[in-house]
Amino acid sequence: MPATRSVRKPRELKLADFIKLEYEVARLAAENTRLAADNRSLESDLSMSRYVIVDLMDVRGLLDGYVGLEDYKDLVVWREKALERVLDAADPRPAMQMGDLGSGERALCPLCRGSASSPSVRGFAFPEGLKRHLLGSHTPHQCEVFAAADKSIIGRIRAKVVRMGGA
């Protein structure tokens, strides 16, 4: 014989319950408005910080042209040109001069002056290692200066998409 389930009668809500719920909804709406304003402020601060990073570190203008881009196609073209300018500005040296026992060349990043993670070897394998550092591919640490410009463009593209309603 199947077990019978007892059905509970719903509790009757009183006016005081509705008032509490209305108060809670109003409080949550106000909190949401405040958090949205805080988020906009933080996004603005982050955007400005990225511009400052690029302006301070890119003294040779290797990343010029990133301001104002709002289209993915423009991002791709900018990346290719900026990557070419940075690689052209690098000062590749024989691997032995950079502490690497291998062959080939190595170069410091012209933007951040960074090197691969080995403490005894300076620079990045040139050109492929430097290219990977700049783009953040095959490595957990993208060049912070290149990333600042790159993420500025991506942020504007996303903002444009949101303004257009996801189109």
Side-chain angles (χ1 to χ4, degrees), residues 95 98-102 106 108 113-125 139-141:
M98 303 296 274
D100 186 354
L101 300 177
R106 300 187 72 80
L108 295 172
R113 308 300 298 158
S115 292
S117 59
S118 174
S120 61
V121 178
R122 294 180 42 230
F124 296 93
T139 176
H141 303 291

Side-chain angles (χ1 to χ4, degrees), residues 78-125:
W78 173 84
R79 272 185 188 153
E80 289 173 9
K81 289 180 180 178
L83 187 62
E84 185 178 315
R85 286 191 302 263
V86 174
L87 290 174
D88 287 346
D91 183 21
R93 304 283 174 106
M96 293 291 276
Q97 278 186 11
M98 303 296 274
D100 186 354
L101 300 177
S103 61
E105 295 180 310
R106 300 187 72 80
L108 295 172
C109 175
L111 297 172
C112 71
R113 308 300 298 158
S115 292
S117 59
S118 174
S120 61
V121 178
R122 294 180 42 230
F124 296 93

